[in-house]
Amino acid sequence: MYLAHSMTKLIDELSKLPTIGPKTAQRLAFYILKASQEDVRRLAEVILEVKEKIKNCSICYNITEDDPCSICQDIKRNKKIICVVQQASDIIALEKTKEYKGTYHVLGGAISPLDGITPEHLRIKELLKRIADNQIEEIIIATNPNVEGEATAIYLTKLIKPLGLKLTRIAYGIPVGGDLEYADEVTLAKALEGRIQL
């Protein structure tokens, strides 16, 4: 299909976004083309504003405009508990539960030797410094339940367990509303492993 050069460039740039394939990028490009000049200008300004204003919290490495972030500043938070996550986006998911009242530490990824990501690429030294400098009572490891997340959890466990802190891992398994017959073996095994006493 023949497209104007500027449209092709826009589609190419949009398709670089995660989970956006060529067809979705094309639909978005045509949506932007149909949108008003003002809407497009506002979108461009917001994208630039995010790039200019957003930084990492100097304590937990969450994304923020203010340093420290609102979670680290919140006096109602239990500063003795740190939940370790891979990405700042994981905090959003945990905060939606309205159950967790501690603080966070964003590693910035997970150990993945195939992708060239070693422990030195993550904010593990910063986590250990936080533990040493503060009276931390519990570390909750909330890495993803995949190979990289598990490797990261095992590595962190080896480093933190000797410090004598309470060390926990989030449970995972069968989702609420899920059917056992459709769950894979690994998920079922983890659900059994993480069972609680009634």
Side-chain angles (χ1 to χ4, degrees):
M1 177 184 7
Y2 175 78
L3 282 174
H5 181 65
S6 56
M7 277 296 278
T8 304
K9 278 174 42 179
L10 178 58
I11 292 167
D12 288 345
E13 291 304 313
L14 290 169
S15 66
K16 291 177 185 175
L17 296 170
T19 72
I20 304 292
K23 286 188 186 248
T24 303
Q26 185 176 316
R27 279 194 293 274
L28 289 170
F30 276 98
Y31 171 81
I32 290 168
L33 184 63
K34 289 179 190 172
S36 73
Q37 192 79 15
E38 185 54 37
D39 286 346
V40 174
R41 183 175 287 111
R42 211 172 21 250
L43 175 63
E45 286 170 359
V46 168
I47 291 170
L48 288 170
E49 183 180 356
V50 162
K51 285 302 288 177
E52 290 166 4
K53 290 186 175 181
I54 297 294
K55 56 186 165 253
N56 291 111
C57 174
S58 59
I59 298 171
C60 73
Y61 300 94
N62 187 13
I63 57 170
T64 183
E65 285 185 15
D66 303 313
D67 190 18
C69 72
S70 59
I71 293 172
C72 289
Q73 286 185 44
D74 189 346
I75 57 170
K76 294 177 187 162
R77 292 277 178 165
N78 184 346
K79 306 280 197 270
K80 295 181 185 297
I81 302 173
I82 299 174
C83 181
V84 180
V85 296
Q86 288 178 212
Q87 304 293 347
S89 55
D90 299 330
I91 294 174
I92 297 166
L94 289 163
E95 285 297 295
K96 282 181 181 175
T97 68
K98 295 184 177 22
E99 292 294 318
Y100 181 66
K101 304 297 180 209
T103 60
Y104 294 94
H105 186 85
V106 180
L107 293 172
I111 297 170
S112 179
L114 292 174
D115 297 319
I117 302 170
T118 63
E120 293 74 34
H121 292 99
L122 306 177
R123 297 185 190 106
I124 295 172
K125 281 185 284 195
E126 293 85 346
L127 173 62
L128 295 174
K129 185 175 178 351
R130 274 181 79 187
I131 293 169
D133 293 350
N134 299 283
Q135 295 178 324
I136 304 301
E137 293 174 355
E138 181 180 2
I139 299 291
I140 302 167
I141 299 175
T143 54
N144 292 331
N146 56 24
V147 174
E148 296 82 8
E150 287 299 315
T152 306
I154 291 165
Y155 184 82
L156 290 173
T157 300
K158 286 179 182 173
L159 290 177
I160 297 168
K161 199 147 187 128
L163 302 176
L165 303 172
K166 181 178 180 184
L167 184 63
T168 58
R169 175 92 165 104
I170 59 166
Y172 41 77
I174 308 301
V176 174
D179 291 322
L180 287 181
E181 67 179 299
Y182 300 117
D184 62 272
E185 296 82 15
V186 176
T187 302
L188 282 170
K190 289 295 180 186
L192 284 168
E193 218 175 90
R195 67 191 184 278
I196 55 170
Q197 188 172 343
L198 300 175

